[in-house]
Amino acid sequence: MLLNIWFFLWGLLWAVYFMLDGFDLGLGTLLPVLAKDDNERRVIYNAMGPFWDGNEVWVITAGGVTFAAFPTTYAVMFSSLYAALLIILFALILRGVTFEFRNKVDKPFWRAVWDWCLVVGSFVPALLFGVAFANIFKGIPIDQNGVYHGTLFTLLNPYGLIGGLLFLFLFLVHGSIWLSVKTEGEMHDRGLSMAKKLWPVLLVIAVVFLGTTKYYTHLYDNYFQKPVLFVIPLITVIALLATRYFVGKGSEWKAWFASSVTIVTATFFGIAGLYPNLFPSSIDPSYSLTIFNSSSSPLTLKIMLGVALALVPVVIIYQAWVYKAFGHKLTEEDLAYDEAY
Amino acid sequence: MDAVFLSRLQFGAAAFFHFLFVPLTLGLSILVAIMETKYVRTGDEDYKRMAKFWGKLFLINFAIGIVTGITLEFQFGTNWANYSKYVGDVFGSLLAIEATLAFFLESTFIAVWVFGWNKLSAKAHAACIWVVAIASNVSAYWILSANAWMQHPVGYTIRNGRAELVDFFSLITQKFAVLSFLHTVSGAYILAGFFVMGVSAYHLLRKKEVEFFKKSFRIALTFALIFSVFEVVQGHLNGAEVAKAQPTKLAAMEAHWETEKGAPIAMFVIPDEKNERNRVEIGKIPGALSMLAYHNTTAAVVGLKDFPKDERPPVLINFLAFRTMVGLGFLFMLLTVIGWFRRNKLEDSPRFLKIMLYAIPLPYIAIEAGWMLTEIGRQPWIVYGLMKTSDAVSPIAASQVLVSLVAFVVVYTALGIVDFYLLFKYARKGPEVAA
């Protein structure tokens, strides 16, 4: 029971991270497309301004919880995905410092350099998180000692790349919608029309992903054993359609929530299929790391559960308050504010 | 070069770099919070400008501390997989709790503070920077408890082929954790105090915004004085705890080879590691080492020679790091005491101001020296007495680590240059003109 709860929480933390930082990563990637001049670029930075840092902590917590609850998985997952993970971390570093550095020197060249850091620092994690998770769904070539037999390029197989594109486009749509949430007028319309343009591509990738998943992975085994699980991808599909519907109606907040549900349930589609594996081996299923053979002791799990149940709701409450306090549309006054990005 | 050596180098470089920024975050957040509280209490606009000016420097510094912390957490998995497997049950929870309890708070409320000047009431806004300051320091407590466990493992048992938790409470309440925390944050407060005093001195020497920088200087001076004195006294307790918990570290940092009663401390030593002796020893104070370690001038202190060769840390580097840290610690006390007597005539003390300006890097050196002693002095253990560093590494190719190490050095050097450039730029520029 304890192990199942932790498996669920582990998936939830990743899902929440993708939902929250997803729009930052998507919007950052689209910076050159969505903004035409420096003022518009500043709008995009400030649309993410008060949120991105708090969003990023969810990935640190997801990592920390993997370490605390499933230390063997943490060890093998992170050392196997060494190159991919470090590239993601370097990208997130560039993305993070860009917010602080960009507005500190008023020169076009300086700003252009940091703008590119934002684009690269957003695009790379969006893609690689998808590649990494698709590979985990598919199985990783690890032996009985948790030693990885492959390279960075092993991960760049067709299914891994489809997963990468899926995450990328989920985040691009999510980020475009967020821009319209935070703006009025031209930028607002541009965000929605970008979401409209990207949506059919996302739909195609999602269909291809769902189909190829049958071919490349064992995720559906759990679904056929417990058909009730099909509710999860069903919600994903409905939410994805709802996203397009609300985008068409110009209800950006509703579209953003629909897109959030899409991302969370898409993550859980994979997580539910993975159970009870956390890090399956493609060499031999018996080498797979599961919640049973890679978890912490019951005492640690109980203490951590107490901590999580006490603190995570509090985190959600104050972060929700921040979204409420700063979720309004940006105005000229906001951009003239002397601490604005 | 093997994966162990390269991984150590990489972790060392990443930790060293991270800790160029964290101490200022820990200390300056409190100073900014004090300034803003004064503004709320007195309504004096100068204090608001102060919170904004020092707050801007705080933010430039804060960003790098945050982003470089993530790579440290994740490196336990990428580079030290065997460590993570073996001790994760005990060690992992501390990092996870740090993220959930403290990291979320500081990262969320720093944004509220930055964007909230016009949105929140003055009191609520000041409360935000206090949340950031307290959360950063709470975060330090969890990280230092985790490090303290590597220095002095407690509350575990070996079961199922790994270290498993039996007493969580002892991890966060053990003496080593409390002492490391007090020692580290005091050092951070000294650093922040010297930073504010140094930047203020720069402007006072140029007679710019004299009242503004005199006030800033005095707040920082009081802060740095308290913690410089505290640090010297507290550091002594740390030394005694190291003597008990890590006798090899004590022996290495004092280049103490032979077990003897009434062991001395020499002021100047040239250790000769190959021949297990000191080539030169000048200015011996008899019984001082015994006194330091056991509060008794005749107590026996075990020498390095009585430990197996493969359980001894390197001597010279620990010896130098220790001397550097302690020497600077006394200097900080001296400078802040002098400052205290000059606090009301700062503008007439150009020589003192100049010294304080050039003293800005010194606490950085002291703090990094302290960490070198802590970490290199623990070698060859990753967890003292429980697991060797050489057994802790991930099963990964050295070439892969070499590539990432080069990437770390290149990226971090570039970021460091940019960040210090911006700190200088904004420190020199001074506060916005009063409205």
Side-chain angles (χ1 to χ4, degrees):
Chain A
M1 187 59 195
L2 199 52
L3 291 173
N4 291 341
I5 293 174
W6 269 112
F7 181 80
F8 174 77
L9 285 177
W10 176 79
L12 186 66
L13 285 170
W14 284 107
V16 172
Y17 170 67
F18 293 139
M19 172 186 112
L20 291 179
D21 213 15
F23 74 76
D24 298 325
L25 298 176
L27 194 47
T29 308
L30 289 172
L31 177 80
V33 191
L34 287 172
K36 305 226 181 308
D37 57 34
D38 191 59
N39 197 47
E40 293 188 350
R41 280 190 283 276
R42 285 194 58 216
V43 170
I44 290 188
Y45 280 96
N46 284 291
M48 300 183 267
F51 314 106
W52 73 270
D53 198 353
N55 293 345
E56 187 172 295
V57 182
W58 287 91
V59 78
I60 299 160
T61 307
V65 157
T66 313
F67 198 175
F70 305 108
T72 308
T73 294
Y74 172 80
V76 175
M77 182 190 285
F78 283 32
S79 57
S80 300
L81 305 176
Y82 189 94
L85 198 61
L86 283 174
I87 292 171
I88 288 176
L89 292 181
F90 281 123
L92 289 177
I93 287 177
L94 284 186
R95 194 266 303 241
V97 296
T98 295
F99 281 94
E100 210 42 65
F101 289 172
R102 184 185 184 272
N103 68 348
K104 294 289 184 294
V105 176
D106 195 6
K107 288 199 180 103
F109 175 73
W110 174 273
R111 298 199 163 184
V113 169
W114 292 111
D115 287 339
W116 280 109
C117 285
L118 182 81
V119 173
V120 174
S122 304
F123 169 78
V124 169
L127 186 77
L128 285 188
F129 272 125
V131 170
F133 270 84
N135 274 284
I136 292 171
F137 298 156
K138 178 172 160 290
I140 304 271
I142 49 164
D143 65 20
Q144 64 270 46
N145 300 314
V147 178
Y148 177 62
H149 294 272
T151 66
L152 174 62
F153 301 102
T154 317
L155 304 177
L156 301 178
N157 52 67
Y159 184 69
L161 289 172
I162 296 169
L165 288 177
L166 177 68
F167 270 52
L168 179 65
F169 277 84
L170 278 170
F171 294 173
L172 291 180
V173 169
H174 202 42
S176 306
I177 298 171
W178 183 254
L179 179 64
S180 1
V181 166
K182 283 291 293 173
T183 52
E184 280 174 323
E186 211 183 316
M187 296 286 282
H188 167 269
D189 299 344
R190 212 181 288 157
L192 285 184
S193 80
M194 179 57 71
K196 254 183 239 172
K197 266 185 240 160
L198 293 169
W199 190 86
V201 188
L202 173 60
L203 184 69
V204 171
I205 297 170
V207 169
V208 172
F209 183 80
L210 284 173
T212 47
T213 295
K214 179 84 190 77
Y215 177 72
Y216 283 107
T217 76
H218 298 289
L219 292 190
Y220 285 111
D221 294 0
N222 282 349
Y223 287 86
F224 288 114
Q225 241 166 42
K226 273 210 170 77
V228 62
L229 287 176
F230 276 109
V231 172
I232 300 170
L234 188 67
I235 298 174
T236 314
V237 172
I238 294 170
L240 186 58
L241 296 172
T243 307
R244 178 64 184 82
Y245 173 74
F246 288 123
V247 165
K249 274 189 61 179
S251 324
E252 59 271 7
W253 267 113
K254 282 179 188 159
W256 187 76
F257 278 114
S259 170
S260 297
V261 173
T262 312
I263 292 176
V264 170
T265 53
T267 311
F268 267 100
F269 162 70
I271 302 280
L274 209 51
Y275 181 88
N277 290 312
L278 288 156
F279 203 64
S281 166
S282 60
I283 296 177
D284 185 330
S286 69
Y287 302 160
S288 297
L289 295 174
T290 68
I291 56 170
F292 306 111
N293 68 11
S294 80
S295 72
S296 279
S297 62
L299 177 63
T300 300
L301 291 175
K302 273 182 215 154
I303 292 171
M304 285 306 301
L305 187 61
V307 170
L309 292 181
L311 293 178
V312 173
V314 180
V315 173
I316 292 172
I317 288 168
Y318 64 67
Q319 287 209 338
W321 173 74
V322 172
Y323 275 82
K324 201 167 161 285
F326 295 97
H328 59 83
K329 302 220 177 254
L330 290 166
T331 59
E332 287 297 321
E333 198 188 334
D334 286 316
L335 289 179
Y337 178 62
D338 54 4
E339 307 293 332
Y341 287 124
Chain B
M1 288 192 284
D2 57 359
V4 179
F5 178 75
L6 291 167
S7 294
R8 277 188 64 192
L9 216 52
Q10 179 171 304
F11 200 92
F16 194 95
F17 188 78
H18 181 59
F19 225 72
L20 280 178
F21 302 95
V22 171
L24 191 59
T25 298
L26 293 175
L28 197 52
S29 57
I30 296 181
L31 285 171
V32 171
I34 292 173
M35 290 164 185
E36 200 177 339
T37 307
K38 286 196 176 224
Y39 164 63
V40 173
R41 289 240 173 102
T42 64
D44 181 347
E45 285 288 324
D46 249 9
Y47 285 117
K48 184 179 180 183
R49 285 167 67 222
M50 234 182 247
K52 281 207 163 189
F53 170 70
W54 297 108
K56 181 151 266 170
L57 299 181
F58 170 79
L59 290 171
I60 295 171
N61 172 77
F62 183 76
I64 297 236
I66 291 275
V67 293
T68 54
I70 308 173
T71 57
L72 283 175
E73 183 199 358
F74 283 25
Q75 270 187 79
F76 285 109
T78 53
N79 292 70
W80 304 101
N82 285 333
Y83 168 82
S84 301
K85 271 189 221 175
Y86 192 65
V87 305
D89 191 59
V90 188
F91 184 86
S93 55
L94 296 171
L95 297 191
I97 295 174
E98 186 266 344
T100 329
L101 176 67
F103 210 167
F104 267 125
L105 269 178
E106 54 178 311
S107 298
T108 310
F109 280 91
I110 191 65
V112 178
W113 188 74
V114 171
F115 288 91
W117 282 101
N118 304 335
K119 288 208 168 61
L120 303 178
S121 72
K123 270 189 189 168
H125 191 263
C128 285
I129 191 72
W130 277 112
V131 170
V132 173
I134 292 166
S136 314
N137 282 275
V138 168
S139 159
Y141 194 84
W142 289 94
I143 298 299
L144 291 168
S145 304
N147 182 266
W149 190 81
M150 298 169 80
Q151 307 290 342
H152 184 236
V154 293
Y156 71 98
T157 183
I158 300 297
R159 196 163 46 200
N160 303 321
R162 63 176 178 177
E164 290 198 350
L165 186 66
V166 287
D167 179 6
F168 178 74
F169 206 56
S170 68
L171 300 185
I172 48 172
T173 52
Q174 70 152 321
K175 204 170 166 193
F176 212 106
V178 177
L179 289 177
S180 317
F181 172 74
L182 292 176
H183 197 63
T184 311
V185 295
S186 302
Y189 300 161
I190 296 170
L191 182 143
F194 271 74
F195 179 85
V196 171
M197 286 191 283
V199 174
S200 301
Y202 173 85
H203 291 285
L204 288 173
L205 283 166
R206 277 157 191 75
K207 313 263 180 249
K208 239 178 73 184
E209 293 271 2
V210 173
E211 278 312 306
F212 180 96
F213 283 109
K214 258 166 49 184
K215 278 187 200 164
S216 301
F217 194 107
R218 283 197 210 120
I219 293 173
L221 174 67
T222 312
F223 193 65
L225 174 64
I226 294 169
F227 289 102
S228 300
V229 174
F230 178 78
E231 189 77 321
V232 167
V233 180
Q234 195 278 335
H236 173 71
L237 296 178
N238 256 27
E241 189 62 20
V242 165
K244 251 197 312 192
Q246 300 183 317
T248 50
K249 184 186 276 177
L250 180 83
M253 76 195 204
E254 294 291 3
H256 178 63
W257 296 99
E258 310 283 347
T259 302
E260 59 184 310
K261 282 187 179 170
I265 287 179
M267 289 290 106
F268 182 78
V269 174
I270 300 179
D272 177 359
E273 292 190 45
K274 219 168 156 193
N275 297 312
E276 307 189 323
R277 65 188 184 94
N278 294 328
R279 206 172 299 153
V280 182
E281 276 183 6
I282 300 170
K284 274 196 198 180
I285 308 169
L289 181 55
S290 298
M291 183 65 201
L292 178 94
Y294 301 106
H295 304 140
N296 173 352
T297 51
T298 56
V301 179
V302 185
L304 278 171
K305 278 185 167 178
D306 282 335
F307 296 101
K309 271 197 171 171
D310 63 352
E311 289 184 10
R312 296 180 199 166
V315 176
L316 183 62
I317 190 164
N318 287 310
F319 176 83
L320 290 176
F322 179 61
R323 292 280 183 294
T324 306
M325 175 182 74
V326 171
L328 287 171
F330 278 100
L331 180 65
F332 301 147
M333 191 163 71
L334 181 71
L335 287 174
T336 46
V337 169
I338 294 174
W340 186 252
F341 289 107
R342 299 197 172 237
R343 70 186 185 281
N344 293 322
K345 43 184 176 186
L346 285 169
E347 60 271 53
D348 305 325
S349 319
R351 205 151 31 128
F352 175 68
L353 290 176
K354 214 168 220 173
I355 291 173
M356 292 311 285
L357 171 60
Y358 289 106
I360 293 178
L362 298 181
Y364 285 88
I365 297 171
I367 277 187
E368 295 290 4
W371 272 115
M372 280 167 77
L373 172 62
T374 309
E375 297 297 288
I376 301 174
R378 191 191 58 227
Q379 301 303 326
W381 303 100
I382 192 164
V383 182
Y384 194 84
L386 178 67
M387 185 183 209
K388 288 230 168 117
T389 310
S390 52
D391 298 326
V393 80
S394 298
I396 44 174
S399 57
Q400 204 175 14
V401 187
L402 185 63
V403 172
S404 64
L405 173 62
V406 171
F408 265 101
V409 172
V410 171
V411 174
Y412 277 17
T413 307
L415 289 182
I417 290 171
V418 172
D419 201 70
F420 279 109
Y421 161 73
L422 290 175
L423 274 176
F424 277 124
K425 180 181 144 116
Y426 279 87
R428 258 197 216 136
K429 197 173 145 210
E432 298 296 321
V433 196

